[in-house]
């Protein structure tokens, strides 16, 4: 692929801007500056450097973000900054989007991608992709509460009961709940339906991917599809 096209595909600006960056000697590969925008480079396993910062080439990008509280997942946030402001410009320019949404006060794992087919696969209810939440409840967790969540609870506007796929009780007030749907405020509404209340909500897993311990709050990293589904 031509080097100019590589930069363009990875979100570094218009073709004209990408060409300019190369001509200004801002782009290197394997320690050598590349100054020809038309040079053909092999994209397989390519890591190029722009202004000293390395970027792996991905035809489609998948990002795991450790979402802090106080950020909205919406493209047009109203009260808080968008999670997109936590990502560098090339990722925004290439059009990565959050997969589903976390509430402004929910923390933890948010996946973002510019792969439309993967978006669909991760959010479609029939694909049953697991989302695991650590839920801190206001009141003590009872056995009855867990039984009801596993059996299914009625939520306003839903025709059928909504179930937790699995629940692990961790402490008197903390449980890990796995769900495979992604309904609006689903966890908070399910917990409210069993007469308790969510004090803190933190997502720890999506599909096969667990939020890594070494990914600090507000930071992100590229991941592969095989780590996720
Ligand atoms: N369920 C909720 O209630 N909120 C979230 O952010 C995610 C799932």
């Amino acid at each position: 692929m031509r080097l100019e096209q590589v930069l363009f595909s990875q979100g570094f600006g218009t073709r004209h801007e990408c060409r300019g960056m190369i001509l200004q000697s801002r782009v290197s590969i394997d320690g050598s500056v590349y100054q020809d925008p038309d040079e053909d480079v092999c994209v397989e396993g390519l890591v190029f450097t722009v202004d000293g910062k390395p970027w792996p080439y991905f035809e489609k990008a998948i990002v795991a973000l450790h979402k802090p509280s106080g950020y909205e997942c919406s493209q047009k946030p109203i009260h808080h900054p968008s999670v997109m402001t936590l990502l560098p410009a090339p990722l925004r320019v290439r059009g990565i989007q959050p997969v589903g949404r976390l509430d402004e006060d929910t923390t933890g794992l948010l996946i973002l991608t510019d792969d439309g087919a993967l978006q669909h696969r991760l959010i479609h209810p029939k694909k049953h992709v697991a989302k695991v939440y650590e839920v801190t409840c206001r009141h003590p967790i009872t056995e009855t509460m867990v039984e009801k969540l596993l059996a299914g609870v009625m939520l306003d506007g839903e025709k059928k009961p909504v179930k937790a796929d699995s629940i692990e009780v961790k402490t008197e007030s903390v449980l890990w709940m796995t769900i495979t749907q992604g309904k609006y405020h689903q966890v908070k509404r399910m917990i409210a339906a069993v007469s308790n209340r969510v004090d803190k909500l933190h997502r720890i897993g999506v599909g096969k991917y667990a939020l890594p311990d070494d990914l600090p709050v507000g930071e992100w990293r590229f991941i592969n599809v095989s780590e996720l589904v």
Side-chain angles (χ1 to χ4, degrees):
M1 190 185 287
R2 284 184 319 110
L3 187 55
E4 174 195 309
Q5 175 63 22
V6 170
L7 261 66
F8 176 70
S9 71
Q10 303 299 288
F12 283 85
T14 62
R15 285 177 201 281
H16 183 70
E17 285 163 344
C18 293
R19 210 171 170 80
M21 291 165 86
I22 300 162
L23 292 170
Q24 289 159 14
S25 309
R26 292 167 60 190
V27 181
S28 348
I29 300 173
D30 289 336
S32 310
V33 175
Y34 276 53
Q35 286 172 310
D36 178 3
D38 296 318
E39 179 148 356
D40 199 22
V41 292
C42 171
V43 291
E44 177 117 30
L46 172 68
V47 179
F48 57 95
T49 303
V50 178
D51 298 330
K53 186 175 174 1
W55 289 90
Y57 171 91
F58 288 109
E59 190 185 341
K60 297 287 178 193
I62 313 171
V63 160
L65 170 72
H66 189 160
K67 179 191 174 294
S69 181
Y71 285 81
E72 292 183 25
C73 289
S74 145
Q75 295 295 314
K76 293 196 180 129
I78 301 172
H79 301 294
H80 300 274
S82 162
V83 288
M84 300 306 288
T85 61
L86 297 165
L87 302 173
L91 292 181
R92 298 198 300 264
V93 170
R94 66 180 288 170
I96 70 162
Q97 306 279 341
V99 177
R101 288 188 182 183
L102 292 177
D103 297 335
E104 167 274 313
D105 56 352
T106 300
T107 56
L109 178 61
L110 182 67
I111 303 292
L112 302 101
T113 184
D114 58 358
D115 184 338
L118 179 65
Q119 274 272 0
H120 183 260
R121 188 164 163 200
L122 291 172
I123 57 183
H124 199 285
K126 290 217 170 96
K127 305 283 180 187
H128 301 292
V129 173
K131 270 94 46 177
V132 189
Y133 293 88
E134 181 174 272
V135 189
T136 307
C137 297
R138 169 84 47 99
H139 309 293
I141 297 160
T142 62
E143 232 170 84
T144 322
M145 176 183 153
V146 172
E147 278 162 17
K148 282 188 188 164
L149 290 167
L150 289 170
V153 290
M154 281 312 296
L155 301 181
D156 272 355
E158 297 298 330
K159 296 197 181 75
K160 287 196 259 169
V162 177
K163 289 181 195 179
D165 282 64
S166 66
I167 290 182
E168 278 178 58
V169 178
K170 294 290 177 184
T171 70
E172 194 192 44
S173 59
V174 176
L175 56 79
W176 286 7
M177 180 156 107
T178 302
I179 57 174
T180 50
Q181 317 95 319
K183 299 185 187 299
Y184 182 65
H185 291 329
Q186 182 171 337
V187 175
K188 291 176 184 166
R189 289 160 70 212
M190 288 176 75
I191 297 293
V194 293
S195 307
N196 207 322
R197 189 177 163 163
V198 173
D199 268 346
K200 258 203 303 189
L201 191 56
H202 180 66
R203 186 153 71 183
I204 54 178
V206 173
K208 289 190 322 197
Y209 194 77
L211 180 67
D213 290 339
D214 63 351
L215 184 63
V217 180
E219 300 282 311
W220 63 275
R221 67 176 54 152
F222 287 116
I223 63 170
N224 293 312
V225 69
S226 60
E227 295 177 270
L228 193 57
V229 283

